[in-house]
Amino acid sequence: SDQMAYMMDHKFNTVRNEVRENINNEYLSDLLVTWRNNYAYEIDGVIVTNDKICVGGGDGQVVLFHVDQNFCQSLMQTQLYGSIQGLSSSNDGVQLLAATNKGFLYRIRVSDFSQMLLAENHTEPVIHVNYMPDVSDKYITCSVDGTIRLWDANDYSVKARCVNHQATTAGVYPLCSLFTDEIILSGWSDGKIR
């Protein structure tokens, strides 16, 4: 095809099809380790049922495939925040757990691929924590990962998240913050107030 010719002309590594009679979790695990060691694009995967494989990638996509003999068809997909670092299926194949490099843990229902955020956290050291004045159920954290999170102290869930993508790529991070019900004010390592 034109696409394959373009890829070969521009020295892209191509993935070749390999026919396998029996695919099991051990084979899939070995394949994924080989993939991670030889390709820049991260991938993780798990067998959900005898005819379904779920794959998560470095772009945050999780895709469910139907596998029949030598034919593989995409059934459903969802987009998560961050690169997929871990993927696991429940024993009954009803749900998946997906963990990302951004500190997020999701539950994905296999029936409709709906997602639910179960937990999140900073991915680098937290360097500031502060309760809201005169309130005991809200606090804020600042991290070297370039994020500020507003937490509910009743259930420790994140109510708001601030990310400065430009500052994060330049190694700039929040040092301190104050907040009210309406505004979050923060001081950053580059001397700016955001």
Side-chain angles (χ1 to χ4, degrees):
S1 74
D2 292 340
Q3 183 180 14
M4 186 62 81
Y6 176 86
M7 291 176 68
M8 294 181 86
D9 288 345
H10 290 85
K11 308 289 188 241
F12 282 93
N13 291 332
T14 57
V15 178
R16 303 282 182 201
N17 184 28
E18 180 181 338
V19 177
R20 283 278 177 171
E21 291 295 320
N22 294 312
I23 298 177
N24 57 29
N25 273 324
E26 182 179 337
Y27 169 75
L28 184 59
S29 178
D30 290 343
L31 177 67
L32 294 172
V33 168
T34 301
W35 183 283
R36 285 181 176 168
N37 291 332
N38 294 318
Y39 298 97
Y41 186 76
E42 294 180 28
I43 188 169
D44 198 358
V46 65
I47 293 177
V48 178
T49 63
N50 288 338
D51 64 345
K52 290 185 179 67
I53 295 176
C54 189
V55 178
D59 61 354
Q61 291 248 346
V62 179
V63 183
L64 183 67
F65 291 96
H66 172 74
V67 180
D68 182 22
Q69 300 284 336
N70 297 325
F71 180 71
C72 188
Q73 178 183 6
S74 172
L75 299 175
M76 290 182 269
Q77 65 185 37
T78 189
Q79 180 70 48
L80 304 180
Y81 182 63
S83 170
I84 306 303
Q85 300 295 301
L87 198 57
S88 183
S89 173
S90 60
N91 285 337
D92 57 9
V94 171
Q95 65 184 4
L96 303 165
L97 292 177
T100 74
N101 68 337
K102 298 296 184 185
F104 292 78
L105 178 64
Y106 295 91
R107 182 194 71 202
I108 302 169
R109 294 234 183 253
V110 173
S111 61
D112 61 1
F113 248 47
S114 61
Q115 56 176 271
M116 179 177 148
L117 180 63
L118 298 178
E120 74 174 89
N121 209 341
H122 292 287
T123 57
E124 296 291 334
V126 173
I127 55 175
H128 177 77
V129 62
N130 189 28
Y131 272 97
M132 184 174 173
D134 302 322
V135 177
S136 295
D137 66 347
K138 293 180 187 169
Y139 65 94
I140 199 163
T141 56
C142 298
S143 172
V144 176
D145 65 10
T147 64
I148 299 171
R149 285 178 165 85
L150 176 63
W151 301 80
D152 182 335
N154 295 309
D155 61 4
Y156 300 101
S157 62
V158 175
K159 297 301 176 190
R161 180 182 322 101
C162 304
V163 180
N164 184 333
H165 295 289
Q166 292 174 333
T168 304
T169 58
V172 178
Y173 52 88
L175 296 171
C176 60
S177 61
L178 298 171
F179 66 104
T180 67
D181 283 331
E182 298 173 3
I183 190 169
I184 296 174
L185 188 62
S186 58
W188 289 66
S189 61
D190 62 357
K192 293 184 180 178
I193 296 175
R194 294 180 171 94

